[in-house]
Amino acid sequence: MENRRTFIKKSGLILSAALLPFPGCLGSTSQRKLGVALVGLGYYSTDLLAPALQKTDYCELRGIVTGSPEKIPVWQKKYGIKDSNVYNYQNMHTIADNPDIDVVYIVLPTGLHAEYAIKAANAGKHVWCEKPMARTAEECRQIIEACNKNRVKLSKGYRMQHETNTRKIMTWAETKPYGNIKKVISEAGYNGGTINPWKLKKEMGGGAIYDMGVYSINAARYSTGMEPMAVTASQSTTRPEIFTEVDETTSFQMEFPGGIIVDGKTSFGESLNQLEVTANKGWYYLKPMQSYSGVQGKTSDGKKLPPMGKNQQAVQMDDDALAIINNTEVMVPGIEGLKDIHIVQKINESATNNSKRVLI
């Protein structure tokens, strides 16, 4: 049986480096806040991360990296960002000389994650990388290796693993209060609104399986506490004129140790947002399971899992900042992103080979 620990050992990645003394570790929560630079000023940075950074206790927005000069004065006026903390993609490497910036948060299209996460690591800055981690497992490995080589911490932007009800589900995977898990349904998707053009491009890491599918895959893994052994998948579209390169909808079934079956689905054409776990002594669910707020659930014996009252992104970034300040393990290391992208590639392999069963 392969669990999460054995996967890490088999991956051959040196994760013990995470607890080496790091440049910029402050050693005490009484020290100054960590300075964060956001790389990419699209929707997620503008509407979610920047506002959330105003609610954090241990980090603050101090820098930006953008290819859109017209955005610079708007951000400087709103957040008081100094001229010396403004960068573009061509001079981002010079952030190495800036003591104001401790962390670089990569919030770019997926296809650019590896390039700029590695640049940040080579600049000696801690790296927070938004999901999905990269286009391929090999790119994920390159990011991890760059962070280890430069002795900087790498955290994945998996906000759900910082959310209280999700963490309870993760704990139940170990304690099994409802008995042995038999089946899981894990679905994440949305319908309506404009799809960002890069999410329709294969070379940029577009498609539902990358954008929303990592929620379903990661939830399958943390709700069982195990790693899948095989997957069977299919992909479809109702809008072939739009989805010419990537999937609109992907359905997949993953086989886990102990006979556990996970039915997963992700889509840009359906509203999907649930995690249901069935065990031999009961069941529990989160509905919604990946929304920016209001994640809540219920159990077969009547327990309610009320929504967390705090901003998810703020909690995530404070948790990650504390790991740097106290030089402790990050809650969601890079290996988590690598494992999910490895599974994404196996799902795509199955779907493009007439739903062939593929070993993971």
Side-chain angles (χ1 to χ4, degrees):
M1 179 182 296
E2 180 175 72
N3 59 22
R4 308 181 93 172
R5 294 186 181 90
T6 56
F7 183 100
I8 293 174
K9 291 178 181 178
K10 287 173 67 176
S11 71
L13 297 169
I14 303 173
L15 300 181
S16 59
L19 295 181
L20 291 174
F22 281 89
C25 286
L26 305 183
S28 169
T29 56
S30 64
Q31 301 290 330
R32 68 174 178 87
K33 291 183 176 182
L34 297 181
V36 177
L38 296 176
V39 183
L41 305 183
Y43 161 74
Y44 197 69
S45 285
T46 301
D47 289 10
L48 294 160
L49 291 179
L53 278 161
Q54 312 313 303
K55 301 177 181 180
T56 55
D57 295 321
Y58 303 108
C59 51
E60 61 187 6
L61 175 60
R62 291 212 195 107
I64 53 174
V65 181
T66 180
S68 303
E70 70 277 7
K71 294 181 180 181
I72 295 172
V74 177
W75 280 70
Q76 286 189 303
K77 181 178 180 180
K78 187 169 185 178
Y79 296 110
I81 297 170
K82 298 187 295 185
D83 288 343
S84 58
N85 292 350
V86 176
Y87 298 86
N88 58 46
Y89 299 119
Q90 289 71 44
N91 67 14
M92 175 182 154
H93 63 281
T94 64
I95 206 168
D97 303 318
N98 190 340
D100 274 355
I101 307 301
D102 302 288
V103 178
V104 171
Y105 198 148
I106 309 300
V107 204
L108 293 164
T110 305
L112 300 175
H113 282 188
E115 178 182 355
Y116 289 95
I118 291 170
K119 283 186 179 182
N122 287 340
K125 303 302 180 180
H126 302 289
V127 179
W128 296 348
C129 184
E130 200 37 57
K131 68 85 190 162
M133 188 169 178
R135 281 194 63 223
T136 67
E138 178 55 33
E139 287 183 348
C140 295
R141 291 188 184 94
Q142 291 171 5
I143 295 171
I144 294 171
E145 288 166 0
C147 289
N148 285 343
K149 177 183 176 181
N150 290 284
R151 294 169 54 236
V152 296
K153 289 188 183 291
L154 169 63
S155 296
K156 283 300 300 133
Y158 278 12
R159 60 188 168 81
M160 302 320 308
Q161 291 203 28
H162 299 261
E163 190 273 331
T164 53
N165 287 328
T166 303
R167 295 202 63 77
K168 188 180 292 292
I169 297 297
M170 295 171 71
T171 299
W172 287 352
E174 302 295 329
T175 60
K176 295 181 172 59
Y178 298 91
N180 292 324
I181 295 171
K182 298 297 183 182
K183 185 177 180 179
V184 176
I185 297 174
S186 183
E187 300 179 334
Y190 61 86
N191 184 23
T194 302
I195 299 174
N196 195 311
W198 73 259
K199 293 184 180 182
L200 300 175
K201 299 294 184 180
K202 184 176 181 179
E203 71 273 12
M204 295 304 290
I209 189 60
Y210 278 96
D211 186 53
M212 300 302 291
V214 290
Y215 287 117
S216 302
I217 294 167
N218 197 249
R221 293 177 47 244
Y222 65 61
S223 64
T224 61
M226 298 179 182
E227 302 300 333
M229 303 180 298
V231 65
T232 304
S234 63
Q235 295 176 332
S236 62
T237 179
T238 60
R239 294 173 285 176
E241 71 282 2
I242 297 176
F243 293 91
T244 59
E245 299 182 18
V246 299
D247 62 305
E248 178 184 20
T249 298
T250 297
S251 299
F252 54 93
Q253 185 174 87
M254 292 193 286
E255 304 167 28
F256 283 76
I260 300 172
I261 297 296
V262 174
D263 289 324
K265 191 174 186 179
T266 185
S267 181
F268 282 155
E270 294 182 52
S271 296
L272 307 167
N273 202 339
Q274 64 174 335
L275 174 64
E276 299 182 7
V277 180
T278 302
N280 63 349
K281 296 181 181 178
W283 50 261
Y284 45 94
Y285 65 74
L286 293 179
K287 297 179 185 180
M289 69 96 157
Q290 52 81 20
S291 297
Y292 294 141
S293 63
V295 173
Q296 58 190 311
K298 189 176 180 181
T299 69
S300 56
D301 55 353
K303 292 186 179 70
K304 292 185 178 180
L305 306 177
M308 179 175 74
K310 298 180 179 179
N311 180 287
Q312 292 177 8
Q313 286 84 0
V315 170
Q316 169 201 322
M317 290 187 284
D318 265 345
D319 285 343
D320 290 339
L322 282 172
I324 295 170
I325 292 168
N326 296 323
N327 194 26
T328 56
E329 292 188 36
V330 300
M331 288 177 64
V332 191
I335 190 67
E336 281 290 293
L338 185 154
K339 286 186 278 190
D340 286 342
I341 296 304
H342 175 71
I343 295 168
V344 165
Q345 290 184 280
K346 295 298 183 180
I347 287 173
N348 283 337
E349 180 182 340
S350 173
T352 56
N353 284 278
N354 298 313
S355 299
K356 177 183 176 182
R357 181 176 180 268
V358 175
L359 298 179
I360 297 176

